[in-house]
Amino acid sequence: MGAPVPASPGILLTILLFAMSCLWAFPEAAGAKHAGITRHYKFNIKLTNVTRLCHTKSMVTVNGKFPGPRVVAREGDRLVVKVVNHVPNNISIHWHGIRQLQSGWADGPAYITQCPIQTNQTYVYNFTITGQRGTLFWHAHLSWLRASVHGPLIIFPKRNVSYPFAKPHKEVTIMLGEWFNADPEAVIRQALQTGGGPNVSEAYTFNGLPGPLYNCSANNTYKLKVKPGKTYLLRLVNVALNDELFFSIANHTFTIVEVDATYVKPFETNLVVITPGQTTNILLKTKPIAPNASFYMLARPYFTGQGTFDNTTVAGILEYETSSNSTTFKPTLPLINATNAVSNFTRKLRSLANSQFPVNVPQTVGKKFFFTVGLGNSPCPKNQTCQGPNGTKFSASVNNISMPLPSTALLQSYFFKKSNGVYTSDFPSSPLHPFNYTGTPPNNTFVTNGTKVVVLPFNTSVEVVMQSTSILGAESHPLHLHGFNFYVVGEGAGNFDPNNDPKNFNLVDPVERNTVGVPSGGWVAIRFHADNPGSSMAYALPLRCPFELGVKDGMDCLGRNTSQSEAPSSTF
């Protein structure tokens, strides 16, 4: 998708809260019967000097590492992660893709499931990994801190349970990220003030290293050394702030075997398309005899919008251990705006759909939603100069609503039945004013603001169609469902046709994901069961707004007395 643009005035989320008893408030109940072990980690949030592109800066990290430390567990294990905040920024940690069954308080999005962790304060995340195995990741979930606060979360199968493919010789994690010479927090803060697109990153990175195609970066190159005739499992994670990426390795093909910690029907390709928040596991079989050459691994953005974006390419190097590496080959990546290449890749993804890993896609739907996803604008405040269209502020929205974050975490207010004044439960299930979504835009492109949610009965079968719009330029948008996986049952170009498009939905073996890209100038349809109380759907529309407000015991996120007892999970 394109570069992020400010909304007015808060993060853009659509929340689904589930109305039933609050079992999710007691994470210890979820872990009481699992067969795994408890694994403890400690995250020290600290400032660390890091140098890239001949530029040294102090940046927020976990345990002084960029990217942060790897968290490893097995399916069924319980994770207890103690986070200690030593920096001036408030922060929270999201375990991206973990279902958080009955442990919604541990999910991590600030002002949604918890108040942020203040300076010199500690928070303990406590959750059990149930029914999941594969590659996920963790990241900061407040403003743009995730630019440097992120790391892999690797879930191995239970003991004595094999992969549904041959065991690889070695497993390697590659985090596809970004490097900013400036402080990302200052970048987004300026964008929010001016209402224009924020400044873009200076480089993309492989595991924090920009590579030799950037100036002053030859010594900061990621190199993967391999042996001939071996199979390597590469765990790819896109932690870039907003950009979908193409990834390829020169003169090599590979087999896709997993996305978002769910197995897929294997297929061979020389290209990966990966949206922010997605993970993809590939099997790379090396050449039987070591060639006298090395091979670039390249990644660069897919972009179709009108905003700013980082139009650069990151390179790593694949080297054979016994080769002389006299020549380095480059792969050919698709054009920046190659929408066909993106759709050709995503449509190949299918769930494994066998007896061991069956699909549970809803065949009938209890509740349908149609959400428009795109860019609009909002008025410029008086006595201020704005840099959006015609002197306004860019603003992203869902069904033309931009959601300001509340001062009290939504689940806290819901649990204590104190939601009055925090949010309303009247988020529209379809646009209030339909128009030609991918054609001529309406005359009025201003968005409205409101902290609105949808409340669903437990175990409702849900279908959500996300429709991209071209109001201020068509672009793709990532969507992540907190606490849920979903099935991608259909996608297409142009406007969704509710009469004819559902006839072509795949209800047999649709791919199961936790994050999907809404196609540029098109639509995507997902289905899931609302079986996880206390979780939420988050649209990663191009914004993460900075909030520097904190919480103390017995107070809301603004520090005001609430006269309420401590929340069940000792969150507040």
Side-chain angles (χ1 to χ4, degrees), residues 7-8 374-379 395-397 400-402 444-449:
S8 172
L375 301 180
N377 51 356
S378 56
S395 186
S397 67
N400 203 46
I401 297 173
S402 176
N444 182 5
T445 60
F446 285 130
V447 306
T448 59
N449 294 315

Side-chain angles (χ1 to χ4, degrees), residues 133-429:
R133 80 296 302 164
T135 304
L136 297 173
F137 70 108
W138 55 265
H139 63 88
H141 206 295
L142 184 60
S143 188
W144 273 17
L145 290 170
R146 69 188 189 283
S148 60
V149 179
H150 57 253
L153 172 53
I154 309 302
I155 308 168
F156 291 105
K158 293 180 180 179
R159 293 193 181 277
N160 302 317
V161 175
S162 302
Y163 295 130
F165 46 82
K167 183 179 179 180
H169 169 70
K170 188 177 181 181
E171 302 185 13
V172 178
T173 301
I174 299 178
M175 310 285 288
L176 306 172
E178 291 175 279
W179 169 264
F180 289 81
N181 282 342
D183 177 7
E185 294 295 276
V187 171
I188 187 59
R189 193 157 46 240
Q190 180 186 35
L192 289 170
Q193 181 178 358
T194 64
N199 295 331
V200 300
S201 60
E202 274 67 37
Y204 296 106
T205 58
F206 286 159
N207 289 341
L209 302 174
L213 301 186
Y214 295 103
N215 291 331
C216 194
S217 189
N219 293 330
N220 291 134
T221 299
Y222 175 72
K223 295 183 178 181
L224 174 60
K225 292 188 177 293
V226 298
K227 296 179 179 180
K230 300 292 185 181
T231 298
Y232 292 78
L233 178 65
L234 305 187
R235 301 176 181 268
L236 306 179
V237 184
N238 186 352
V239 294
L241 291 179
N242 297 290
D243 291 334
E244 295 185 65
L245 298 172
F246 295 117
F247 171 88
S248 188
I249 304 175
N251 294 11
H252 288 74
T253 58
F254 35 79
T255 302
I256 310 293
V257 293
E258 177 199 307
V259 296
D260 291 1
T262 62
Y263 298 128
V264 298
K265 288 182 173 68
F267 66 92
E268 197 170 274
T269 181
N270 61 3
L271 177 72
V272 171
V273 180
I274 186 166
T275 289
Q278 288 183 341
T279 66
T280 304
N281 282 9
I282 64 177
L283 291 177
L284 171 68
K285 189 170 184 179
T286 58
K287 299 180 182 298
I289 300 175
N292 289 323
S294 58
F295 306 88
Y296 275 125
M297 303 180 290
L298 299 183
R300 77 175 182 201
Y302 160 62
F303 178 79
T304 61
Q306 298 183 11
T308 55
F309 71 104
D310 184 354
N311 187 12
T312 63
T313 302
V314 57
I317 298 178
L318 178 73
E319 293 182 343
Y320 284 75
E321 291 184 353
T322 58
S323 126
S324 63
N325 299 332
S326 57
T327 304
T328 303
F329 292 99
K330 282 187 179 181
T332 300
L333 291 172
L335 297 175
I336 288 286
N337 61 350
T339 297
N340 285 340
V342 175
S343 60
N344 289 340
F345 176 83
T346 57
R347 288 172 180 172
K348 292 178 183 177
L349 295 169
R350 293 287 186 270
S351 288
L352 211 49
N354 59 22
S355 58
Q356 187 178 2
F357 301 102
V359 298
N360 187 30
V361 58
Q363 299 296 306
T364 59
V365 176
K367 182 65 177 177
K368 292 186 178 182
F369 297 92
F370 180 76
F371 291 157
T372 56
V373 183
L375 301 180
N377 51 356
S378 56
C380 187
K382 292 182 179 180
N383 301 319
Q384 182 177 328
T385 300
C386 295
Q387 298 175 359
N390 299 316
T392 65
K393 285 191 171 188
F394 271 119
S395 186
S397 67
V398 177
N399 282 352
N400 203 46
I401 297 173
S402 176
M403 180 177 170
L405 282 181
S407 61
T408 301
L410 293 180
L411 287 191
Q412 179 189 23
S413 64
Y414 179 72
F415 177 80
F416 287 123
K417 296 180 174 58
K418 295 286 186 179
S419 60
N420 187 31
V422 178
Y423 66 82
T424 60
S425 56
D426 58 347
F427 191 91
S429 59

